Amino acid sequence: MKLPKEGDFITIQSYKHDGNLHRTWRDTMVLKTTENALIGINDHTLVTENDGRRWVTREPAIVYFHKKYWFNIIAMIRDNGISYYCNLASPYYMDSEALKYIDYDLDVKVFTDGEKRLLDVEEYERHKRQMHYSKELDYILKENVKILVDWINKERGPFSQAYVNIWYKRYVELKNR
């Protein structure tokens, strides 16, 4: 599979552990790809839920996916600052159809004031029972929550203001070509 290039548009699909499609984002612009990571941006992007409901993202958001970490990061650029929504999820893979990953319910939200909140713990526990997440998977996900919080605390990668500025600036350049 050939990697998408800067300026290409891709589809992103999230699935649940049982293989059911969870959510689809259309036309995410690719800003950078490497062997292990993809950086993109959603800006007024059409999102379709598994029940057919559709909505459009409200603000530009830098998206970060990695092939080794069990999370992905969305940096939402708002008038009052940057907030983050981080999904605990399988490492992504790409095929000719879309960038794909499995969403494991747990989320970490970082507010513009820096407050962190772990979300959807009850949903995670319910799905863990219903879909039979293994002990190994449960361990991997909980360890990746720790890695993610460490990145947040150290303002690593997407959690750096400079990182968001660089990629948003690149998006504006590409959009205005």
Side-chain angles (χ1 to χ4, degrees), residues 4 42 69 72-73 81 88 96 101 110-111 129 149 167 175:
N42 289 323
Y69 294 108
N72 55 64
I73 301 164
L88 273 291
S96 59
Y101 66 91
V110 183
F111 296 86
R129 285 188 305 278
V149 169
W167 292 113
K175 186 173 79 164

Side-chain angles (χ1 to χ4, degrees), residues 84-149:
Y84 295 89
Y85 201 88
C86 311
N87 297 294
L88 273 291
S90 68
Y92 84 94
Y93 70 97
M94 194 111 202
D95 64 20
S96 59
E97 185 181 31
L99 178 152
K100 298 177 178 180
Y101 66 91
I102 299 169
D103 181 303
Y104 281 105
D105 316 307
L106 286 174
D107 303 301
V108 176
K109 171 103 181 184
V110 183
F111 296 86
T112 54
D113 66 1
E115 178 194 348
K116 294 180 283 298
R117 198 173 295 161
L118 183 63
L119 305 174
D120 301 328
V121 175
E122 301 80 17
E123 180 183 11
Y124 174 79
E125 292 298 330
R126 186 174 68 251
H127 284 161
K128 184 169 90 170
R129 285 188 305 278
Q130 288 174 345
M131 296 184 219
H132 310 289
Y133 298 175
S134 68
K135 285 185 174 150
E136 181 182 75
L137 177 60
D138 185 58
Y139 175 80
I140 288 167
L141 293 168
K142 289 177 178 166
E143 287 300 304
N144 274 264
V145 168
K146 294 176 191 173
I147 294 167
L148 185 58
V149 169

